[in-house]
Each structure stands twice: as C-alpha cells, then as structure tokens.
Amino acid sequence: MKLLTIVGARPQFIKAAMVSRAILRRNAMSGSALITEQILHTGQHYDPDMSEIFFRQLEIPEPSFRLNCGGMTHAEMTGTMLIEIEKILLSELPDALLVYGDTNSTLAGALAAAKLRIPVIHVEAGLRSFNQAMPEELNRILTDHASSLLLYPTRSALLNLQREGLADRACEVGDVMYDAALCFGGLAEQYSGVLGRFNLRSGNFRLATVHRAENTDDPLRLAAIFTALQELASPEFPLILPLHPRTRIRLENAGIASQLRKTPGLLLSEPLSFLDMVKLEKHASCILTDSGGIQKEAAFHCVPCITLRNETEWDETVVSGWNHLTGADTAAILSAVREAKSPATPLQAYGTGDAAEKTVTAILEHFGGTN
C-alpha cells in the first residue's frame, strides 16, 4: 500500500512520528513493505525552530516533498496548498492520503485528495469545539466529511461523528499524542537541559504558550492575557513563555513587547525544541495555554492546565479536573492559576499508549492489507 502523509505544524510532526514508527515496525514484523509511506511537508510552520528541529528530534523520516506555504492568509495558504498537493497526488497516485488534526494543511490535503477520488484517512477525527469562528473548527469538520476512514481518539469524538452521520466510517484507535508522551517523556529527562539554561527549579515555575488567532489577533484579548502573565511572573516564581513567531509580531505591533521584556521573572524565549517543551511541561507547577495539544500533554504529565479559551475540543480534560477554561479574562486567569491543583485521579480517556499501532492496523484492515 502506498501512503502519502501530510504534515505542516508542530502537533502533526509529533503524531506523524509515532505512526511512521509504527508503520516501520509493522513492515519489519511482516518481512515486507505492507505500507510504503511518503511524507509531504507543506511548510505551514516555516520557522526552523518550529519545524526542522522536530524532524531531527523525533526521528521522522525526511519528507519526500516540501512546499513553502507559510506566512500567508488562510485563503492564500489553503489555495496554494491545494494546487501544489494536487500536482503531487497526480504524480505519485498514492492508494490513500493520511492527514492529522485541524490545520490548513489538513484541510487542503483532504480536499485535494477527495476531488481526485483518493481515499482520505483522518487521524484525530470527531473533535468539536462548537465554535465555528475558529478556523480549526471549520478545518476539522470539512476534513471529516471528506474522509473515507475516520480514526477517532475518544468516546465523545464518536458521539460527534454519529450526530453528523459519519459513524459508519469511524474506528476508535485512542490518541497518538498519549503514545508520544510515553515515548518522549523519558528522552526529555535524559537529553534536555532546558531547566538549567533558564535557571528553573522543578515545580517552582509556570509555563505559558499563546498562539491562537482568536487571542493574538484581538488586541483586547491579547492585552488581557499578557496582563495576567505579567502579574503571575516574579523572580521567586518565574513564568517562561516560548513565543510563537506570530505572537511575537502581534506583541511588537501592540507596543507590549518592550514592557514584557522588563517584567521581572517573565522569561521570553524563541520557540523551543520538542524535548525542551516536554521537559518544561513535566516540571511546571501549572501550564497556561491556548494550544489544543498542550492541554492534553499537561494532563498526560499530571500538571494542572489553564486554557486561555472559552471552549475546548478536549472535554475530557475539563471533566476530569485537569483543565480549567478561563477565556481571555485577566481576573479569571489569575484566580484559576492560584487555585490550580492536581486531581487525585490521572486522566485515562485517551487509550493505553498503543494508538499508533491501532492506527496502522485500522488502515491495513480498511484497505484490505495484511496485518
């Protein structure tokens, strides 16, 4: 079976690493190339610190195809990807296209393949925030409806697919991000020296990430969030904030950046490597983020999370008590951080750490391969 995998952003690199490893293991066990995988990197994350370093650290196979589709508007990016992905699909004629998550790369790949009647496999299907103002929500809904095989992580994802009449295409595999947390957590402890570089002590700092357009592109939300981060930071209890390239630009344009640099205990950095981020997530006292993936990673590492959004795709993290939604309300953020504590029970909604293996099995079974 010839499989083309599309990636373009940080979470997709991590998920692809786990599934690509599982494909290689299955091929080795069978003694034949059950699946031949090629990777297409759209370049949606165009900063080397957001892209290339992940390929190196996660040992993802070198992409067979690279596009240069970063730094555009949503329409320009999606349209350019559609054109370029179609060319590659017509040249390579894969048996199926594999996409992850909810980015513009995901949607462009799914649409290009579906229009050529090439089956689409969507890993992380069925997630819904029910906020269609988010580009990611539109991307994931449209991708699910264009896909032939929907590999979903949780019971709530299945319920969403059932409501939309898609259950007959669905298969539960668990969450490949949980696989990654188990796989790379130990490596981060062994190889990352990030705590020493920033002079941080385990359990005595907070970690924050802010990159969603709903927060960065709204001056009032951006100011409210960073007012809270400034108040939380202190020399005695620092807050480290790796800045997404878009966030850095928005802060400069809003005239906030220079003030942030002068805030004692607020440690601004360039985007960090995956293993460095895992190490910080594991040792932070709590995490503040608007990232979907980091919400889960926090729970996987048993660290309380404050989500700087009004809703989440990962309801299980909230129901279990590991995650608290505050939106961009300064007072709510400060209150949630000060009251944050770890629930007594670890989160157990995302499988048993074998989602990548189940993904490969589901693909082979669906397309009539031997497993």
Side-chain angles (χ1 to χ4, degrees):
M1 177 183 178
K2 187 175 181 180
L3 184 68
L4 180 66
T5 294
I6 290 187
V7 296
R10 172 194 183 272
Q12 294 166 338
F13 306 147
I14 301 166
K15 297 163 194 168
M18 303 313 301
V19 174
S20 294
R21 290 176 178 214
I23 288 172
L24 294 175
R25 284 195 298 270
R26 190 66 59 90
N27 287 344
M29 288 171 59
S30 70
S32 63
L34 295 175
I35 298 177
T36 301
E37 183 187 29
Q38 293 177 297
I39 294 177
L40 187 162
H41 182 2
T42 66
Q44 181 168 340
H45 274 172
Y46 55 94
D47 187 298
D49 290 326
M50 300 293 288
S51 177
E52 298 305 319
I53 197 164
F54 286 106
F55 279 84
R56 294 195 299 271
Q57 286 197 338
L58 275 62
E59 300 179 359
I60 302 172
E62 185 68 18
S64 302
F65 310 97
R66 290 177 180 270
L67 308 181
N68 185 24
C69 298
M72 305 176 184
T73 68
H74 285 290
E76 290 172 330
M77 184 183 295
T78 307
T80 302
M81 288 177 184
L82 266 168
I83 293 168
E84 298 304 318
I85 291 171
E86 182 185 60
K87 293 176 184 176
I88 293 168
L89 290 171
L90 289 170
S91 171
E92 298 299 317
L93 296 176
D95 296 304
L97 181 86
L98 177 63
V99 293
Y100 294 90
D102 54 19
T103 67
N104 291 335
S105 302
T106 305
L107 176 60
L111 290 177
K115 286 178 178 294
L116 294 173
R117 302 190 66 80
I118 294 172
V120 178
I121 305 162
H122 186 199
V123 173
E124 218 171 67
L127 302 184
R128 300 291 182 266
S129 68
F130 302 101
N131 177 5
Q132 292 203 12
M134 293 175 57
E136 296 86 354
E137 180 75 352
L138 296 175
N139 290 346
R140 62 173 71 102
I141 292 172
L142 294 171
T143 298
D144 279 345
H145 283 263
S147 296
S148 302
L149 178 59
L150 300 169
L151 303 178
Y152 65 89
T154 64
R155 176 69 180 172
S156 62
L158 174 60
L159 295 176
N160 292 331
L161 295 173
Q162 289 173 336
R163 279 192 291 268
E164 296 174 26
L166 301 175
D168 60 336
R169 313 179 201 173
C171 177
E172 182 176 10
V173 295
D175 195 325
V176 292
M177 288 296 287
Y178 183 50
D179 294 21
L182 296 177
C183 176
F184 295 113
L187 290 177
E189 294 293 346
Q190 185 175 357
Y191 293 112
S192 172
V194 68
L195 297 185
R197 290 205 308 274
F198 288 97
N199 197 27
L200 299 171
R201 291 185 290 116
S202 180
N204 196 65
F205 68 92
R206 300 181 180 101
L207 169 67
T209 74
V210 182
H211 79 279
R212 292 264 180 185
E214 66 185 279
N215 287 328
T216 61
D217 296 354
D218 183 327
L220 293 178
R221 291 181 68 92
L222 189 69
I225 289 170
F226 277 88
T227 296
L229 298 184
Q230 283 183 279
E231 186 163 338
L232 289 168
S234 71
E236 297 76 27
F237 210 102
L239 186 149
I240 182 166
L241 176 65
L243 281 176
H244 189 285
R246 179 175 64 239
T247 309
R248 183 179 293 278
I249 291 170
R250 298 297 187 271
L251 291 171
E252 295 285 357
N253 292 343
I256 301 173
S258 59
Q259 181 183 356
L260 295 175
R261 295 189 192 101
K262 299 175 184 176
T263 303
L266 183 58
L267 308 178
L268 304 179
S269 82
E270 297 298 321
L272 297 173
S273 74
F274 176 62
L275 293 184
D276 282 348
M277 282 300 295
V278 171
K279 185 75 169 278
L280 290 173
E281 289 169 7
K282 292 184 69 176
H283 290 271
S285 65
C286 79
I287 297 172
L288 300 94
T289 188
D290 57 10
S291 162
I294 291 178
Q295 292 174 48
K296 289 185 299 173
E297 291 167 13
F300 295 157
H301 299 307
C302 297
V303 175
C305 183
I306 311 302
T307 293
L308 309 171
R309 291 166 50 193
N310 299 322
E311 69 289 308
T312 180
E313 309 80 36
W314 303 105
D315 294 333
E316 300 84 3
T317 63
V318 176
V319 172
S320 64
W322 284 101
N323 190 9
H324 299 272
L325 305 179
T326 64
D329 184 302
T330 301
I333 294 168
L334 295 174
S335 175
V337 170
R338 288 164 180 159
E339 296 175 7
K341 60 182 180 180
S342 299
T345 306
L347 183 60
Q348 298 175 326
Y350 295 105
T352 56
D354 58 355
E357 298 291 344
K358 289 181 177 177
T359 294
V360 175
T361 297
I363 292 171
L364 289 170
E365 290 181 349
H366 184 83
F367 292 97
T370 303
N371 56 43

